[in-house]
Amino acid sequence: MLPKILVSIDDSDMTQHVVDEAVFLAKATGGSLMFLHVISIYDNEPLFDPLFMQPTILNAELQNESHQKNLSVWQEFKKSKENWLHLLCESAASSGVKAEFTLNIGEASRRICDFSRNWDADVIVIGRRGHRGLSEMFLGSVSNYVVHHASCSVFTVQGGNFAATKVSQNQELANKTL
């Protein structure tokens, strides 16, 4: 039995595939899901956290205006991520799986491992895009780091053409059964 399943998700094309696999695993084992999304300063996601922003304008009034604008953009960005995670929880619940979410900031690979340890996860479900060789060396691999540093088992969901083919096959099978 896997009662506590941590699902690490990003905004990639394969996120829905990772979520589908996690929901399937939770239903099969009677577990519940914790969706984890990490806003990373190293990824392509914009990070507008006012704690990390340094004012560059000397005029105090302009600094305050700039700070307020940055704070507003950060709040909107954070709220959009929370809404997205809430929708994922609702989707899982409609499939009969208990789900909740958390939003973190930092380096994704370390945050995933730290959160799984603190939350006492039984397994981590994470996507793998399939970077190899030089692209993995230069881009890094969150899934590779998690596999090697997590304190629990890790279920990696393959991305790329394999994931698209599997989703397509599952849709064809579902259409045939209807």
Side-chain angles (χ1 to χ4, degrees):
M1 186 163 148
L2 299 170
K4 295 177 86 175
I5 302 169
L6 178 62
V7 187
S8 174
I9 53 173
D10 57 13
D11 296 26
S12 71
D13 294 340
M14 71 176 295
T15 296
Q16 189 58 52
H17 183 58
V18 172
V19 170
D20 292 344
E21 292 289 333
V23 168
F24 178 80
L25 184 61
K27 287 171 81 172
T29 63
S32 63
L33 303 176
M34 170 65 77
F35 291 111
L36 167 65
H37 179 68
V38 179
I39 298 173
S40 175
I41 58 175
Y42 304 111
D43 291 340
N44 293 327
E45 294 184 275
L47 180 64
F48 298 104
D49 189 344
L51 296 174
F52 299 123
M53 296 184 155
Q54 298 297 318
T56 57
I57 303 170
L58 297 177
N59 184 314
E61 187 175 312
L62 290 176
Q63 281 182 359
N64 188 37
E65 183 180 318
S66 176
H67 177 74
Q68 291 303 318
K69 181 180 177 186
N70 290 336
L71 183 60
S72 174
V73 169
W74 165 248
Q75 293 297 339
E76 273 183 49
F77 179 74
K78 183 179 172 197
K79 187 66 177 166
S80 72
K81 295 296 181 184
E82 289 171 344
N83 290 340
W84 170 62
L85 290 164
H86 183 72
L87 289 172
L88 289 175
C89 288
E90 286 179 351
S91 175
S94 70
S95 297
V97 174
K98 181 182 174 214
E100 53 189 321
F101 71 86
T102 184
L103 184 62
N104 283 232
I105 300 169
E107 185 181 349
S109 53
R110 286 192 172 96
R111 289 286 186 196
I112 295 164
C113 291
D114 290 345
F115 187 86
S116 71
R117 195 172 9 268
N118 293 334
W119 188 62
D120 200 25
D122 294 301
V123 66
I124 300 169
V125 178
I126 189 169
R128 180 179 180 276
R129 291 189 183 104
H131 292 298
R132 288 179 169 58
L134 290 177
S135 65
E136 182 176 8
M137 185 173 80
F138 289 117
L139 297 174
S141 171
V142 173
S143 61
N144 188 41
Y145 182 93
V146 171
V147 164
H148 288 93
H149 294 91
S151 59
C152 62
S153 296
V154 179
F155 178 78
T156 57
V157 179
Q158 182 65 38
N161 293 337
F162 177 76
T165 302
K166 185 171 181 184
V167 169
S168 158
Q169 289 171 346
N170 288 344
Q171 287 172 343
E172 286 177 26
L173 182 61
N175 290 338
K176 287 180 184 176
T177 59
L178 294 176

